[in-house]
Every structure is written in structure tokens, then in C-alpha cells.
Amino acid sequence: MKIGVLALQGAVAEHIRGLEAAGAEAVAVKRVEELDSLDGLVIPGGESTTIGKLMRKYDFIDPIRKFSAEGKPLFGTCAGLIVLADRIEGQDDAHLELMDMTVQRNAFGRQRESFETDLDIKGIDEPIRAVFIRAPLIKEVGAGVDVLSTYKDEIVAARQNNLLACSFHPELTDDYRLHAYFVDMAREAAASRV
Ligand SMILES: NC(=O)CC[C@H](N)C(=O)O
């Protein structure tokens, strides 16, 4: 599987390492044309406003929507989760508007801007160490969205068909099971395309 990491801003190299550890070929994506050869795309953490602005500037919005409409998987982590969402609390405009959920940015407040915890994730056997950095929460999801993980009763990971999103940074630990989960999604999607 060849998986791209959207390389406009944010934690790109770490995701590439994670995807390679999970057995995929991983590439940094800077140009729209590069989407064509991919089986999946990661939108990394960083600053969602900046990533969204650069996606508009370099005309990524419609091509990524088309990529998703073809059933190819997208994985948004932290800021990338915000970029995938249909609705962002307190903002009139969202970015890709692909995933039926409302997100709250910087949801943990000053005291707990960054922290780590062990999370149970549906579809993954043992808990995963999750690193949260100025992380968003998923406040509400539509009927087609499967909640994969919660932290203190708030949603921190979810899936809607070919779309996967988490509030934390799976690329910042050396446990790459969530990347492997995503590579499996890409493999299944590729199998159903032929
Ligand atoms: N680590 C992150 O990706 C932080 C996300 C950032 N706080 C935002 O709102 O976009």
C-alpha cells in the first residue's frame, strides 16, 4: 500500500515513520497530482487553521473530497481530525466537511494542554498510549459514525466508513498499531476497487 501524508504543515516525518513501520510505502504529499497514486492519505496534527488555509491555497479541497468519494481512506490526527469534520464549534466554516461530526478545538483547556493516557480503542486488542497536545474533542457524531474510543466520556477516536480520526498523536509513540489499522483500511478499500 502506498500512503501519503499531507505535507503542508505539521507532524509529517513522524507519520511517515509510523506508516513504514506498519508495512506501507509512505510519501510526503505536497502537490495535488500526487494524490492519484495513493491508496490512502493521512492529514497530520499541526494547526488546523493553517492546514486549511494552505489546502485552499493549493487547491486540495475538491481533489481530497474526490479521493474520499472513491472510497480511499483518510486518517486525520489532531488538527487533521478538525480538518475532516463537517462542523467546528464556534466557527462558521469548516474545511473538508467529510465526516459527520462536530468538533471542539483546544478542548482540554490550559491546565491539561498536553498529557498522555492509555486508551482502549475498538478494533485494537490492548490499550494504546495516547499523546494529547492542545487536542480537539468530538462533541457529537452522526448516525453513520462509529465511536472507537472515549476519554472521560468524551469521544477521542471515530470512524465513518473510509474516514478515521483521532484527537491524539499516534505518530509520537513507537506503537504503530493505529497506523497498521489504517493501512488495513487502505488494503480493504483497494481490494474492493478491483
Ligand atoms: N496538536 C494539534 O494538532 C493541535 C491542534 C490545534 N490546537 C488546532 O486547533 O488546530
Side-chain angles (χ1 to χ4, degrees), residues 45-48 78-79 82 105-106 133-134 169:
E47 184 57 46
S48 58
C78 202
I82 299 166
R105 297 178 63 194
N106 303 320
I133 304 170
R134 293 173 53 78
H169 285 265

PDB file of all heavy atoms in Angstrom, residues 45-48 78-79 82 105-106 133-134 169, ligand 1:
ATOM      1  N   GLY A  45      -1.333  16.188  12.532  1.00  0.00           N
ATOM      2  CA  GLY A  45      -1.540  17.233  13.512  1.00  0.00           C
ATOM      3  C   GLY A  45      -0.700  18.441  13.161  1.00  0.00           C
ATOM      4  O   GLY A  45       0.236  18.362  12.361  1.00  0.00           O
ATOM      5  N   GLY A  46      -1.027  19.558  13.750  1.00  0.00           N
ATOM      6  CA  GLY A  46      -0.352  20.822  13.463  1.00  0.00           C
ATOM      7  C   GLY A  46      -1.299  21.925  13.890  1.00  0.00           C
ATOM      8  O   GLY A  46      -1.783  21.911  15.020  1.00  0.00           O
ATOM      9  N   GLU A  47      -1.631  22.792  12.988  1.00  0.00           N
ATOM     10  CA  GLU A  47      -2.592  23.863  13.276  1.00  0.00           C
ATOM     11  C   GLU A  47      -3.653  23.828  12.179  1.00  0.00           C
ATOM     12  O   GLU A  47      -3.346  24.090  11.012  1.00  0.00           O
ATOM     13  CB  GLU A  47      -1.839  25.209  13.307  1.00  0.00           C
ATOM     14  CG  GLU A  47      -2.681  26.381  13.691  1.00  0.00           C
ATOM     15  CD  GLU A  47      -3.348  26.210  15.048  1.00  0.00           C
ATOM     16  OE1 GLU A  47      -2.673  25.800  16.004  1.00  0.00           O
ATOM     17  OE2 GLU A  47      -4.562  26.484  15.131  1.00  0.00           O
ATOM     18  N   SER A  48      -4.882  23.482  12.569  1.00  0.00           N
ATOM     19  CA  SER A  48      -5.920  23.242  11.556  1.00  0.00           C
ATOM     20  C   SER A  48      -6.198  24.469  10.693  1.00  0.00           C
ATOM     21  O   SER A  48      -6.473  24.345   9.497  1.00  0.00           O
ATOM     22  CB  SER A  48      -7.206  22.749  12.224  1.00  0.00           C
ATOM     23  OG  SER A  48      -7.660  23.676  13.175  1.00  0.00           O
ATOM     24  N   CYS A  78      -5.518  14.746  15.293  1.00  0.00           N
ATOM     25  CA  CYS A  78      -5.498  16.035  15.985  1.00  0.00           C
ATOM     26  C   CYS A  78      -5.969  17.150  15.045  1.00  0.00           C
ATOM     27  O   CYS A  78      -7.130  17.169  14.667  1.00  0.00           O
ATOM     28  CB  CYS A  78      -4.124  16.284  16.591  1.00  0.00           C
ATOM     29  SG  CYS A  78      -4.197  17.474  17.932  1.00  0.00           S
ATOM     30  N   ALA A  79      -5.110  18.065  14.615  1.00  0.00           N
ATOM     31  CA  ALA A  79      -5.570  19.096  13.674  1.00  0.00           C
ATOM     32  C   ALA A  79      -6.197  18.460  12.432  1.00  0.00           C
ATOM     33  O   ALA A  79      -7.161  18.992  11.872  1.00  0.00           O
ATOM     34  CB  ALA A  79      -4.411  20.005  13.274  1.00  0.00           C
ATOM     35  N   ILE A  82      -9.779  17.826  12.903  1.00  0.00           N
ATOM     36  CA  ILE A  82     -10.562  19.064  12.761  1.00  0.00           C
ATOM     37  C   ILE A  82     -10.812  19.345  11.271  1.00  0.00           C
ATOM     38  O   ILE A  82     -11.915  19.721  10.865  1.00  0.00           O
ATOM     39  CB  ILE A  82      -9.822  20.254  13.418  1.00  0.00           C
ATOM     40  CG1 ILE A  82      -9.619  19.995  14.917  1.00  0.00           C
ATOM     41  CG2 ILE A  82     -10.579  21.557  13.196  1.00  0.00           C
ATOM     42  CD1 ILE A  82      -8.624  20.939  15.588  1.00  0.00           C
ATOM     43  N   ARG A 105     -12.281  22.593  19.230  1.00  0.00           N
ATOM     44  CA  ARG A 105     -10.825  22.764  19.215  1.00  0.00           C
ATOM     45  C   ARG A 105     -10.301  23.051  20.619  1.00  0.00           C
ATOM     46  O   ARG A 105     -11.017  23.587  21.451  1.00  0.00           O
ATOM     47  CB  ARG A 105     -10.439  23.919  18.292  1.00  0.00           C
ATOM     48  CG  ARG A 105     -10.811  23.675  16.852  1.00  0.00           C
ATOM     49  CD  ARG A 105     -10.449  24.865  15.993  1.00  0.00           C
ATOM     50  NE  ARG A 105      -9.007  25.096  15.974  1.00  0.00           N
ATOM     51  CZ  ARG A 105      -8.451  26.214  15.528  1.00  0.00           C
ATOM     52  NH1 ARG A 105      -9.204  27.198  15.094  1.00  0.00           N
ATOM     53  NH2 ARG A 105      -7.144  26.345  15.534  1.00  0.00           N
ATOM     54  N   ASN A 106      -9.055  22.729  20.840  1.00  0.00           N
ATOM     55  CA  ASN A 106      -8.364  23.030  22.102  1.00  0.00           C
ATOM     56  C   ASN A 106      -9.266  22.747  23.306  1.00  0.00           C
ATOM     57  O   ASN A 106      -9.438  23.585  24.178  1.00  0.00           O
ATOM     58  CB  ASN A 106      -7.925  24.496  22.117  1.00  0.00           C
ATOM     59  CG  ASN A 106      -7.038  24.816  20.926  1.00  0.00           C
ATOM     60  OD1 ASN A 106      -6.188  24.016  20.548  1.00  0.00           O
ATOM     61  ND2 ASN A 106      -7.237  25.959  20.311  1.00  0.00           N
ATOM     62  N   ILE A 133      -2.002  16.852  22.547  1.00  0.00           N
ATOM     63  CA  ILE A 133      -1.346  18.160  22.543  1.00  0.00           C
ATOM     64  C   ILE A 133      -2.339  19.204  22.016  1.00  0.00           C
ATOM     65  O   ILE A 133      -2.705  19.177  20.843  1.00  0.00           O
ATOM     66  CB  ILE A 133      -0.085  18.155  21.639  1.00  0.00           C
ATOM     67  CG1 ILE A 133       0.886  17.046  22.077  1.00  0.00           C
ATOM     68  CG2 ILE A 133       0.599  19.529  21.669  1.00  0.00           C
ATOM     69  CD1 ILE A 133       2.030  16.806  21.103  1.00  0.00           C
ATOM     70  N   ARG A 134      -2.785  20.093  22.915  1.00  0.00           N
ATOM     71  CA  ARG A 134      -3.810  21.083  22.526  1.00  0.00           C
ATOM     72  C   ARG A 134      -4.880  20.430  21.655  1.00  0.00           C
ATOM     73  O   ARG A 134      -5.234  20.919  20.570  1.00  0.00           O
ATOM     74  CB  ARG A 134      -3.170  22.275  21.805  1.00  0.00           C
ATOM     75  CG  ARG A 134      -2.273  23.114  22.732  1.00  0.00           C
ATOM     76  CD  ARG A 134      -1.498  24.198  22.011  1.00  0.00           C
ATOM     77  NE  ARG A 134      -2.352  25.060  21.190  1.00  0.00           N
ATOM     78  CZ  ARG A 134      -3.126  26.043  21.633  1.00  0.00           C
ATOM     79  NH1 ARG A 134      -3.177  26.298  22.932  1.00  0.00           N
ATOM     80  NH2 ARG A 134      -3.816  26.778  20.821  1.00  0.00           N
ATOM     81  N   HIS A 169      -2.063  11.962  19.106  1.00  0.00           N
ATOM     82  CA  HIS A 169      -0.962  11.855  18.140  1.00  0.00           C
ATOM     83  C   HIS A 169      -0.386  10.438  18.123  1.00  0.00           C
ATOM     84  O   HIS A 169       0.587  10.171  18.818  1.00  0.00           O
ATOM     85  CB  HIS A 169       0.156  12.845  18.520  1.00  0.00           C
ATOM     86  CG  HIS A 169      -0.170  14.259  18.205  1.00  0.00           C
ATOM     87  ND1 HIS A 169       0.234  14.871  17.040  1.00  0.00           N
ATOM     88  CD2 HIS A 169      -0.874  15.185  18.894  1.00  0.00           C
ATOM     89  CE1 HIS A 169      -0.197  16.120  17.025  1.00  0.00           C
ATOM     90  NE2 HIS A 169      -0.869  16.336  18.136  1.00  0.00           N
TER      91      HIS A 169
HETATM   92  N1  LIG B   1      -1.617  19.080  18.065  1.00  0.00           N
HETATM   93  C1  LIG B   1      -2.533  19.584  17.259  1.00  0.00           C
HETATM   94  O1  LIG B   1      -2.701  19.174  16.110  1.00  0.00           O
HETATM   95  C2  LIG B   1      -3.288  20.734  17.815  1.00  0.00           C
HETATM   96  C3  LIG B   1      -4.484  21.166  17.020  1.00  0.00           C
HETATM   97  C4  LIG B   1      -4.668  22.666  17.161  1.00  0.00           C
HETATM   98  N2  LIG B   1      -4.906  23.031  18.525  1.00  0.00           N
HETATM   99  C5  LIG B   1      -5.821  23.149  16.267  1.00  0.00           C
HETATM  100  O2  LIG B   1      -6.795  23.604  16.753  1.00  0.00           O
HETATM  101  O3  LIG B   1      -5.726  23.067  15.076  1.00  0.00           O
END
